[in-house]
């Protein structure tokens, strides 16, 4: 049962321990034709935005054209070259930790970028639309909370005049199969939650890798 809104910082009930929480959203593509984009797919790679109950409608993204992709990659390579040159002149070495890692799944990271992979009736279809930066208000935030019993998405309005939080979604930890960090992401902050029914969602940690370490260790 989803818990009611709270006019204060959300806390788990007595007898349940909070392990970690941090700001998250659906991830965003970073490579070539999927840069700045995300999609919501079923296991036949169909777009399912219109099938997700309660989600505000918006047109699906289109992949970048081959011309735009070539321009994007050229500019990215030029930026990397200039950064390496400047850092080298200063006597240091570029911080590659903030760059892209190697893609082990190019089908889902370079030619397509699903952040939701969910057949009908699967758990991933139930995650809240507020995780999508393109659908929630600029003043809204979403956080992932891990307790010793549940995984939850907390939504709220960070307005110092009238802050509030509410539980948007929750699932028992027994439904979570794996949480894995995905190296092919800016700052290596993307991670995938795979549920026991095979569905999954790809999120980005706005807290950096610290949140992911807690999740993958749980």
């Amino acid at each position: 049962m989803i818990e009611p809104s709270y006019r204060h910082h959300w806390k788990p009930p007595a007898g349940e321990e909070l392990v970690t929480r941090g700001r998250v959203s659906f991830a965003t593509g970073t490579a070539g034709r999927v840069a700045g984009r995300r999609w919501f797919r079923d296991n036949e790679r169909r777009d399912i935005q219109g099938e997700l109950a309660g989600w505000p409608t918006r047109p699906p993204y289109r992949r970048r054209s081959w011309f735009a992709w070539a321009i994007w990659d050229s500019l990215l390579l030029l930026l990397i070259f200039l950064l390496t040159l400047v850092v080298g002149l200063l006597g240091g070495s570029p911080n590659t930790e903030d760059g892209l890692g190697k893609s082990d799944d190019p089908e889902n990271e370079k030619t397509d970028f699903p952040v939701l992979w969910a057949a009908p009736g699967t758990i991933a279809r139930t995650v809240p639309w507020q995780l999508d930066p393109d659908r929630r208000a600029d003043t809204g935030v979403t956080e992932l909370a891990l307790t010793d019993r549940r995984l939850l998405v907390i939504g709220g309005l960070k307005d110092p005049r009238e802050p509030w939080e509410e539980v948007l979604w929750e699932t028992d930890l027994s439904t979570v199969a794996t949480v894995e960090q995905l190296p092919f992401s800016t700052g290596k902050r993307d991670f995938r939650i795979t549920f026991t029914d095979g569905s999954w969602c790809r999120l980005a940690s706005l807290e950096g890798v610290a949140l992911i370490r807690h999740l993958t260790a749980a």
Side-chain angles (χ1 to χ4, degrees):
M1 179 178 178
I2 299 298
E3 297 164 18
S5 300
Y6 292 82
R7 293 287 175 177
H8 53 74
H9 192 71
W10 176 84
K11 295 180 181 179
E16 184 175 6
E17 181 180 353
L18 178 66
V19 178
T20 189
R21 66 178 286 180
R23 292 179 61 186
V24 299
S25 65
F26 283 129
T28 305
T30 54
R33 300 187 69 192
V34 303
R37 288 148 169 76
R38 68 182 70 86
W39 286 272
F40 308 88
R41 306 291 197 196
D42 65 10
N43 51 4
E44 296 180 355
R45 211 169 283 278
R46 296 184 306 112
D47 185 87
I48 59 172
Q49 288 187 84
E51 302 174 14
L52 300 172
W55 282 45
T57 57
R58 73 172 309 278
Y61 281 113
R62 299 178 63 181
R63 291 181 181 85
R64 292 179 183 271
S65 68
W66 287 105
F67 176 76
W69 174 45
I71 295 296
W72 175 272
D73 272 15
S74 297
L75 290 174
L76 184 60
L77 288 172
L78 178 60
L79 179 62
I80 292 173
F81 171 77
L82 292 175
L83 177 63
T84 303
L85 180 63
V86 169
V87 173
L89 291 173
L90 294 176
S93 60
N95 181 8
T96 58
E97 290 299 312
D98 292 331
L100 292 178
K102 177 183 177 182
S103 175
D104 296 322
D105 188 12
E107 187 176 27
N108 289 320
E109 295 182 320
K110 301 181 79 172
T111 58
D112 193 9
F113 198 84
V115 295
L116 202 66
W117 188 265
T122 54
I123 297 170
R125 286 206 180 209
T126 67
V127 300
W129 60 264
Q130 289 90 339
L131 286 168
D132 187 359
D134 292 331
R135 286 182 165 85
R136 69 170 182 260
D138 291 340
T139 54
V141 296
T142 47
E143 295 192 355
L144 193 68
L146 173 69
T147 76
D148 57 352
R149 300 180 184 178
R150 298 178 290 168
L151 189 66
L152 308 95
V153 175
I154 311 296
L157 181 66
K158 297 303 183 185
D159 185 340
R161 297 167 299 179
E162 191 178 9
W164 60 267
E165 293 183 336
E166 62 178 336
V167 175
L168 300 174
W169 174 89
E170 64 175 271
T171 188
D172 192 88
L173 286 184
S174 64
T175 69
V176 178
T178 60
V179 179
E180 57 184 319
Q181 185 177 7
L182 301 172
F184 194 73
S185 57
T186 303
K188 296 177 175 52
R189 66 179 189 169
D190 286 12
F191 62 101
R192 178 165 52 218
I193 302 173
T194 302
F195 301 102
T196 50
D197 58 14
S199 64
W200 51 262
C201 59
R202 180 176 182 139
L203 303 177
S205 166
L206 305 185
E207 309 287 343
V209 298
L211 173 65
I212 302 174
R213 291 194 189 104
H214 283 291
L215 293 169
T216 55

